[in-house]
Amino acid sequence: MLMKRLPIETKIDFMSVRMICFALSAIAILASIALIPMKGLNLGIDFAGGTLVEISEPTNASIESIRDSLSGVLPGTELQVTSARGTGTEAKPIYVIKAGTSASQALETGSQTGEADRVVEKLREVFPQGDAEKPDWEILRKENVGPKVSGELLTAGLTALVVALVFMLAYIWFRFDHWQFSVGAVVALAHDVMLTIGVFSFLQIDFNLTTIAALLTIIGYSMNDTVVVYDRVREELRRYKKLSIKDVINLSLNRTLSRTTLTSGTTLLALVSIYILGGEVLRGFSFALIWGVIVGTYSSIFVASALLLHTGLKRDGKTLATAEENFSS
């Protein structure tokens, strides 16, 4: 019923506001670039190194009591204790204990194996587990990541992002036989990645391996959305020989708008559910995807498509529109 109420034949002049959108995107990208050295990224243990222990809730335990019991166990480190809700139908409260790499550990070349074990031993001493078959609390996750390993993981993650962008550029160039399409698509992808990293820096959300996975997913989603629009642009260019490129792009965007709205809307419903109900472990990942879907949908319309007006796209060896047609609103 709702789908029937959505307008199918819209006549929105998207390209008339492209310069405003270019300006907003440029400001957002510059702000993101400035935020990274100013505030930095809140690197998770995957990239910064450290210790992570996740346990179910012990009886009569609290964040303060756990933090007090662990004071002195890992000297020279800043201990973080947070509570969260577990996942599943019978979800129980959990505690996540994080400790960064100390100055002495940073000088070591290997991982700090045993740091998590020391945390677990102290917890068992202060909060007895009781019956072995039905313990009062359980160890759900235990990780140690050394400085060397974390640096390698960060390098590998950033390399994966760059390689993905390069392959996307090559694919679009081959797919549409015009470099203008590949440039527009890759600029839009870089736009999405930079804004997502900027938001993570601004909000100081943990930036870890799951965030890299989310960024790669955003690249795939945004590229899929852009390819759908580009396919329609190419189809309409062949059909309407006398329309200017500006009118063809507007026509294509309007004819794919219902598909874009429904796809983004249903995806966001699932992601918001994961963000609310998925617990602390999935919160950063789901937030990155929510932001990425919104920004990716925006960039497909106002960045990737709008750039076709300014890159000299040609049809049958002739310029599609004069400079006056291209830049007029």
Side-chain angles (χ1 to χ4, degrees):
M1 196 63 166
L2 177 61
M3 293 177 64
K4 291 182 179 180
R5 293 180 180 274
L6 291 175
I8 298 176
E9 295 292 336
T10 56
K11 295 182 180 180
I12 303 173
D13 188 1
F14 292 101
M15 294 300 99
S16 64
V17 296
R18 67 185 184 278
M19 300 309 295
I20 297 175
C21 294
F22 282 163
L24 292 175
S25 294
I27 292 171
I29 290 173
L30 291 175
S32 298
I33 294 173
L35 276 171
I36 294 173
M38 288 174 59
K39 297 192 68 173
L41 289 170
N42 183 19
L43 296 178
I45 289 175
D46 296 336
F47 295 150
T51 302
L52 182 145
V53 177
E54 187 177 301
I55 63 173
S56 58
E57 183 181 36
T59 302
N60 299 324
S62 64
I63 292 178
E64 290 76 16
S65 61
I66 292 176
R67 186 184 293 114
D68 292 340
S69 67
L70 295 176
S71 60
V73 175
L74 301 178
T77 64
E78 182 180 351
L79 198 68
Q80 297 179 2
V81 182
T82 57
S83 62
R85 191 74 181 173
T87 58
T89 55
E90 298 181 358
K92 297 180 180 180
I94 63 175
Y95 287 101
V96 180
I97 303 159
K98 296 180 181 180
T101 305
S102 66
S104 60
Q105 292 166 348
L107 297 175
E108 299 176 3
T109 57
S111 64
Q112 59 265 42
T113 304
E115 299 297 324
D117 293 333
R118 288 165 57 188
V119 171
V120 171
E121 288 175 6
K122 186 64 176 180
L123 289 172
R124 284 174 174 162
E125 178 185 331
V126 178
F127 305 100
Q129 289 181 284
D131 190 354
E133 294 184 359
K134 292 184 178 180
D136 179 54
W137 58 273
E138 297 177 306
I139 302 167
L140 304 177
R141 186 181 173 195
K142 184 173 66 172
E143 292 182 4
N144 290 295
V145 181
K148 182 178 180 181
V149 175
S150 61
E152 292 174 351
L153 288 174
L154 179 59
T155 301
L158 295 177
T159 302
L161 288 175
V162 174
V163 170
L165 290 174
V166 171
F167 274 99
M168 290 292 184
L169 185 148
Y171 167 75
I172 295 298
W173 196 333
F174 173 79
R175 176 74 172 77
F176 290 94
D177 294 325
H178 288 85
W179 63 266
Q180 290 88 348
F181 285 104
S182 62
V183 169
V186 171
V187 169
L189 294 181
H191 167 277
D192 300 343
V193 171
M194 283 304 305
L195 292 192
T196 303
I197 294 175
V199 166
F200 268 72
S201 176
F202 179 72
L203 298 178
Q204 289 295 290
I205 302 172
D206 276 359
F207 192 89
N208 48 35
L209 280 177
T210 58
T211 309
I212 295 294
L215 288 173
L216 292 171
T217 306
I218 290 168
I219 288 175
Y221 181 91
S222 181
M223 177 58 72
N224 178 70
D225 209 19
T226 301
V227 166
V228 170
V229 175
Y230 277 0
D231 260 332
R232 181 54 67 95
V233 170
R234 185 172 59 174
E235 180 183 333
E236 303 300 352
L237 285 174
R238 294 169 178 169
R239 181 179 300 173
Y240 299 101
K241 301 291 185 179
K242 295 183 179 180
L243 281 182
S244 68
I245 186 172
K246 176 176 176 290
D247 293 332
V248 169
I249 293 175
N250 274 325
L251 180 64
S252 302
L253 289 172
N254 279 283
R255 289 187 172 177
T256 57
L257 184 60
S258 60
R259 177 262 175 203
T260 300
T261 304
L262 290 173
T263 302
S264 300
T266 52
T267 304
L268 284 174
L269 287 176
L271 292 174
V272 169
S273 300
I274 295 174
Y275 180 81
I276 296 173
L277 304 174
E280 187 70 24
V281 176
L282 296 175
R283 191 145 294 161
F285 178 77
S286 55
F287 175 82
L289 289 179
I290 290 170
W291 176 258
V293 168
I294 296 172
V295 173
T297 302
Y298 162 84
S299 67
S300 296
I301 297 173
F302 295 108
V303 178
S305 300
L307 280 174
L308 294 177
L309 282 170
H310 305 281
T311 53
L313 183 64
K314 297 181 179 181
R315 174 175 56 196
D316 299 329
K318 298 179 180 180
T319 303
L320 285 169
T322 64
E324 182 179 354
E325 288 175 318
N326 281 342
F327 294 96
S328 64
S329 59

